[in-house]
Amino acid sequence: MLITPAFAQAGAGGDANSMLMSLLPFALIFVIMYFLILRPQQKKVKDHAELVKNIRRGDTVVTSGGLVGKVTKVVDDDQIEFEISDGVRVRQMRQMISGVRAKGEPAKEKAEAKDETSAS
């Protein structure tokens, strides 16, 4: 029933190093997941919040449902009103906006194309 000194010394010597080496892969997996998944997702959420916050009257917006319209009124911090056709206005939650086009962006491209063709 006695424990020999050689047996007692062998168990205590490699325990700390082996525990550290067994936790190292989990730490590496967490670091890799942070940089490949969590960090880009946080950046995407931050960019969308900034985009939604800066919606102004006259902007052309695209909703997550696919509707495209021109903002006619910013109702409050949560809602906007936009026109999808002549006389057809829709209220939409700001968070459901998936994209914003700046004022006059499509028309500006057409106007530049006309200016280039008329200058030639």
Side-chain angles (χ1 to χ4, degrees):
M1 291 290 174
L2 297 174
I3 299 174
T4 62
F7 185 75
Q9 289 175 358
D15 192 30
N17 191 22
S18 123
M19 185 175 169
L20 179 65
M21 292 305 286
S22 66
L23 292 178
L24 186 63
F26 293 114
L28 286 173
I29 289 171
F30 179 75
V31 168
I32 290 170
M33 282 182 56
Y34 175 77
F35 282 107
L36 292 178
I37 298 172
L38 297 174
R39 196 164 172 235
Q41 184 65 26
Q42 289 173 346
K43 186 178 185 297
K44 191 175 184 181
V45 168
K46 183 179 176 184
D47 290 344
H48 183 260
E50 186 71 24
L51 174 105
V52 167
K53 186 178 110 179
N54 291 328
I55 294 175
R56 300 285 180 251
R57 185 172 175 239
D59 291 348
T60 302
V61 295
V62 180
T63 67
S64 58
L67 293 176
V68 178
K70 188 172 184 178
V71 177
T72 57
K73 181 179 176 184
V74 177
V75 178
D76 57 12
D77 290 340
D78 293 332
Q79 293 182 0
I80 62 168
E81 183 178 283
F82 64 98
E83 189 172 40
I84 56 176
S85 181
D86 292 334
V88 180
R89 293 186 178 180
V90 179
R91 278 195 180 190
Q92 180 79 31
M93 299 297 292
R94 280 185 184 235
Q95 294 301 320
M96 299 304 290
I97 301 297
S98 63
V100 176
R101 299 179 186 168
K103 291 184 198 177
E105 185 179 50
K108 185 184 287 184
E109 291 173 2
K110 290 178 184 176
E112 289 175 0
K114 287 180 183 178
D115 291 340
E116 289 176 3
T117 57
S118 63
S120 298

